[in-house]
């Protein structure tokens, strides 16, 4: 991912500007988020990543008015739109065409939480807290799914774990993140 | 306004329901799963189809942030290749050209208006956006675009069956099922939108093709209505939608639809189009039904309809709305994909 060091953790959203017709914001949007979208595309559609990133950005710009700052950070919205599009692509393709290493990089407390990529918004801090409250195996399953882009079945195979357990762990993780986002208790979530 | 917290939304207790929401957020749904979720959403309008999508995306960002430093050290090729970067720049330039063209067209239309205006209620938006590329940007294939329409649905075109209420919904195309999920998700009741008054030019409607002309169209789309839960419909309520993309015209017929007092409520048509943002279906106009419960109504689409996937009828306040309150959905007509 493009290492865009961003000292401003809450940069001004760009999609509302694009929706208002600010052409300059299109370039800014591309510069700010292309690393994130490219990374996502490589995770979910490595053989079609080039087409996918263009497709995603065109969709984002064309629907810029759909972004609601009160509901999420811009990076979360962009990630959500990109994921939706990439998941569609993966389903169309039938399967992920190449396998990344199934060896997970385990959650490491010492890992930097300083943002090198996108703004470390309040919601990301909350999600981090929620994830850390999960059991290690649950964290690993969620990580394999969300970060490595593995399907539920692939996770079950790689960890020799029942598919139902994988689904349960993912469900538990997402629900915990959602509940944390609903609580909005940012101060407690600060790392 | 900046983000503070996610609005509370009750999680369904049904574990199967939860599983489908998780699957939708993390790896997509099969045609059958989409239809199953569709039925559950229809029975639970307080739940949105995408309630776990944002948590999944934010959790993903959390993982990315935590591991970025170590990953950058081991995966230098994660940087965008030069040709990808160049392709994105070309896409941005092309999009900006579209923005400029849209602005220019909007400006010309504004100048052409004769100043005859009236007050109308615009719910939710508050103001008319100076630029709304949504309707067209995805409709035509730009030279830089990939081989697929960026607004296409992901589900394959297979025929499937959906049942809602006591009605058997046979012959659905998968894309229509996906569109219905979008509609149901879109339909989840929202907080009352802010209502403001703005002035918009009054347009003199042009006379469209007659019913016979639409029926004779080579690309005629003919879809029967499916009945949903609303006091205005019975299981015997019937009728169809007739639409021609070439003519950009169509009609709706109804039998057994409750007559309405236009001072109390009116019916409104919404058109979901494959080339249109599914969250903002095209307004197809408001209409009334006579005492005998029958009506033949010309479709008054406010934007070009190029590839409709679903027609839906809501019950709205007199005059209709720009953004539906999403409380009453009476009829739908999913278009089977060829």
């Amino acid at each position: 991912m493009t290492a865009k060091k961003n000292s401003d953790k809450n940069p001004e959203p760009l999609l509302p500007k694009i929706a208002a017709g600010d052409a300059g914001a299109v370039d800014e949007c591309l510069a700010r988020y292309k690393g994130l979208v490219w990374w996502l595309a490589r995770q979910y559609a490595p053989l079609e990543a080039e087409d996918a990133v263009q497709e995603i950005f065109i969709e984002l710009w064309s629907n810029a008015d759909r972004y609601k700052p009160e509901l999420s950070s811009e990076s979360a919205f962009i990630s959500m739109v990109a994921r939706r599009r990439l998941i569609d692509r993966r389903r169309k393709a039938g399967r992920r065409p190449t396998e990344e290493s199934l060896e997970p990089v385990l959650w490491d407390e010492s890992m930097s939480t300083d943002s090198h990529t996108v703004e470390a918004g309040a919601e990301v801090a909350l999600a981090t807290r929620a994830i850390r409250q999960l059991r290690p195996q649950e964290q690993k399953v969620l990580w394999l799914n969300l970060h490595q882009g593995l399907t539920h079945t692939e996770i079950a195979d790689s960890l020799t774990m029942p598919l139902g357990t994988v689904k349960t762990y993912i469900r538990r993780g997402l629900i915990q993140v959602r509940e944390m986002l609903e609580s909005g208790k940012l101060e407690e979530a600060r790392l | 306004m900046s983000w503070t917290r996610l609005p509370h939304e009750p999680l369904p207790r049904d574990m199967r329901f939860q599983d489908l929401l998780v699957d939708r957020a993390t790896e997509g749904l099969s045609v059958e799963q989409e239809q199953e979720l569709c039925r559950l959403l229809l029975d639970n309008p307080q739940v949105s189809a995408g309630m776990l999508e944002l948590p999944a995306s934010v959790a993903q960002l959390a993982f990315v942030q935590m591991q970025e430093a170590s990953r950058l050290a081991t995966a230098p090729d994660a940087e965008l290749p030069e040709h990808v970067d160049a392709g994105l720049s070309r896409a941005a330039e092309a999009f900006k050209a579209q923005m400029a063209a849209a602005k220019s067209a909007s400006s010309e239309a504004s100048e052409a208006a004769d100043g005859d205006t009236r007050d109308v209620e615009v719910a939710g938006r508050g103001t008319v956006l100076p630029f709304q590329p949504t309707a067209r940007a995805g409709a035509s294939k730009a030279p830089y675009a990939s081989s697929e329409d960026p607004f296409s649905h992901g589900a394959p075109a297979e025929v499937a069956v959906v049942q809602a209420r006591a009605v058997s919904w046979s012959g659905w195309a998968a894309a229509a099922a996906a569109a219905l999920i979008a509609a149901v998700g879109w339909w989840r009741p929202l907080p009352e939108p802010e209502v403001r008054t703005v002035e918009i030019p009054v347009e003199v409607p042009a006379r469209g093709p007659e019913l016979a002309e639409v029926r004779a169209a080579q690309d005629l789309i003919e879809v029967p209505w499916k009945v949903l839960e609303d006091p205005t419909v019975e299981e015997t309520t019937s009728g169809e939608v007739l639409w021609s993309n070439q003519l950009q015209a169509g009609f709706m017929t109804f039998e057994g639809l409750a007559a309405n007092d236009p001072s109390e409520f009116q019916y409104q048509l919404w058109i979901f189009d494959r080339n249109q943002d599914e969250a903002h279906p095209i307004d197809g106009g408001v209409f009334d039904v006579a005492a005998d419960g029958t009506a033949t109504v010309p479709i008054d689409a406010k934007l070009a309809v190029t590839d409709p996937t679903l027609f839906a009828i809501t019950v709205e306040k007199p005059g209709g709305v720009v953004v539906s309150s999403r409380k009453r959905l009476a009829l739908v007509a999913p278009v089977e994909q060829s």
Side-chain angles (χ1 to χ4, degrees):
Chain A
M1 188 182 314
T2 300
K4 183 178 183 298
K5 185 81 175 180
N6 195 347
S7 57
D8 182 359
K9 292 190 173 184
N10 292 294
E12 187 178 9
L14 297 168
L15 292 175
K17 290 183 175 181
I18 295 172
D22 181 349
V26 173
D27 292 328
E28 282 188 70
C29 178
L30 191 56
R32 187 181 295 175
Y33 296 111
K34 65 183 179 184
L36 172 65
V37 175
W38 175 244
W39 179 81
L40 288 168
R42 281 170 53 89
Q43 293 297 97
Y44 285 85
L47 296 184
E48 302 174 322
E50 183 177 350
D51 277 351
V53 289
Q54 282 197 17
E55 194 178 275
I56 289 164
F57 272 107
I58 292 167
E59 178 169 354
L60 286 167
W61 297 330
S62 301
N63 297 276
D65 62 319
R66 289 175 59 191
Y67 170 58
K68 308 295 180 207
E70 68 274 21
L71 293 182
S72 75
S73 70
E74 191 171 67
S75 57
F77 176 79
I78 284 175
S79 174
M80 186 167 66
V81 170
R83 281 171 47 80
R84 190 180 299 161
R85 175 59 58 200
L86 290 164
I87 286 172
D88 275 356
R89 267 186 176 268
R90 187 163 69 174
R91 290 197 70 83
K92 277 183 183 175
R95 232 338 283 132
R96 204 169 99 151
T98 63
E99 295 295 337
E100 302 285 339
S101 165
L102 296 182
E103 187 61 34
V105 179
L106 294 176
W107 187 268
D108 183 346
E109 293 284 339
S110 67
M111 285 180 176
S112 168
T113 57
D114 188 20
S115 173
H116 289 257
T117 53
V118 295
E119 76 270 27
E123 57 195 343
V124 173
L126 288 165
T128 302
R129 180 171 187 246
I131 291 168
R132 283 187 166 166
Q133 289 177 352
L134 298 171
R135 290 183 294 174
Q137 194 73 341
E138 293 171 338
Q139 291 182 15
K140 182 191 288 186
V141 167
L142 203 59
W143 182 87
L144 285 170
N145 180 244
L146 298 179
H147 190 271
Q148 294 294 287
L150 268 62
T151 65
H152 301 177
T153 303
E154 287 169 344
I155 296 170
D157 291 344
S158 66
L159 299 181
T160 321
M161 181 183 285
L163 180 60
T165 305
V166 170
K167 288 181 175 293
T168 298
Y169 285 179
I170 293 173
R171 181 179 68 235
R172 192 174 296 162
L174 293 184
I175 290 172
Q176 187 140 327
V177 171
R178 171 143 193 127
E179 288 174 350
M180 191 67 77
L181 293 175
E182 287 181 350
S183 79
K185 292 176 181 173
L186 178 60
E187 291 72 22
E188 294 176 23
R190 287 286 187 203
L191 302 172
Chain B
M1 181 187 296
S2 62
W3 183 85
T4 52
R5 70 171 62 185
L6 199 61
H8 177 67
E9 189 174 320
L11 190 72
R13 292 185 176 180
D14 181 346
M15 295 303 286
R16 176 61 183 163
F17 200 168
Q18 289 187 14
D19 280 344
L20 289 169
L21 293 172
V22 170
D23 285 351
R24 186 175 192 270
T26 56
E27 58 181 20
L29 299 177
S30 68
V31 176
E32 293 75 17
Q33 287 172 324
E34 282 182 344
Q35 292 164 354
E36 186 180 359
L37 179 59
C38 176
R39 286 193 295 271
L40 291 166
L41 290 167
L42 284 169
D43 291 339
N44 298 272
Q46 77 281 5
V47 178
S48 63
M51 73 173 297
L52 293 178
E53 274 192 284
L54 183 65
S57 299
V58 176
Q60 187 171 42
L61 288 178
F63 281 124
V64 168
Q65 181 181 302
M66 296 281 289
Q67 303 199 330
E68 178 63 10
S70 61
R71 202 191 58 76
L72 280 175
T74 58
D77 63 342
E79 295 285 346
L80 268 73
E82 210 168 281
H83 71 282
V84 175
D85 214 10
L88 282 172
S89 296
R90 286 196 299 274
E93 290 306 315
F95 186 81
K96 286 189 289 184
Q98 285 186 356
M99 291 174 81
K103 260 186 179 175
S104 175
S106 172
S107 175
E108 286 174 11
S110 177
E111 288 173 7
D114 61 4
D116 182 12
T117 61
R118 62 189 169 111
D119 288 346
V120 296
E121 283 187 335
V122 177
R125 295 300 177 96
T127 183
V128 177
L129 289 175
F131 170 67
Q132 292 194 342
T134 304
R136 296 263 46 89
S140 60
K141 191 167 289 185
Y144 51 81
S146 65
S147 58
E148 292 178 333
D149 178 350
F151 286 88
S152 64
H153 290 282
E158 296 171 4
V159 175
V161 178
V162 164
Q163 288 188 335
R165 199 179 174 186
V167 180
S168 173
W169 295 9
S170 59
W172 274 50
L180 184 57
I181 285 184
V184 172
W186 171 75
W187 231 263
R188 185 170 59 87
L190 296 178
E192 284 299 319
E194 180 184 3
V195 177
R196 299 184 189 177
T197 299
V198 299
E199 288 189 341
I200 63 171
V202 172
E203 295 180 4
V204 179
R207 186 174 179 81
E210 300 293 337
L211 176 58
E213 192 178 347
V214 172
R215 280 193 185 281
Q218 289 187 336
D219 67 335
L220 175 66
I221 294 170
E222 191 170 5
V223 194
W225 291 115
K226 309 296 180 188
V227 180
L228 299 180
E229 286 281 359
D230 191 81
T232 57
V233 292
E234 303 286 344
E235 289 182 13
T236 55
T237 301
S238 62
E240 63 182 356
V241 179
L242 303 164
W243 175 259
S244 165
N245 291 327
Q246 289 177 2
L247 297 175
Q248 283 297 299
F251 287 84
M252 300 175 283
T253 65
F254 302 96
E255 288 185 14
L257 185 58
N260 68 302
D261 177 347
S263 66
E264 292 184 359
F265 72 87
Q266 287 188 290
Y267 296 100
Q268 187 163 5
L269 170 67
W270 303 94
I271 306 165
F272 289 79
D273 190 300
R274 194 178 296 278
N275 297 315
Q276 172 76 19
D277 172 11
E278 64 189 25
H280 300 134
I282 298 166
D283 177 3
V286 298
F287 61 94
D288 303 312
V289 174
D292 64 359
T294 65
T296 298
V297 183
I299 293 174
D300 179 23
K302 303 300 188 290
L303 293 172
V305 179
T306 57
D307 191 0
T309 56
L310 182 78
F311 296 83
I313 301 292
T314 61
V315 178
E316 304 290 357
K317 65 184 179 182
V321 294
V322 173
V323 177
S324 176
S325 64
R326 312 176 185 188
K327 291 178 180 173
R328 293 179 65 181
L329 178 59
L331 297 163
V332 294
V335 179
E336 189 169 337
Q337 303 300 298
S338 57

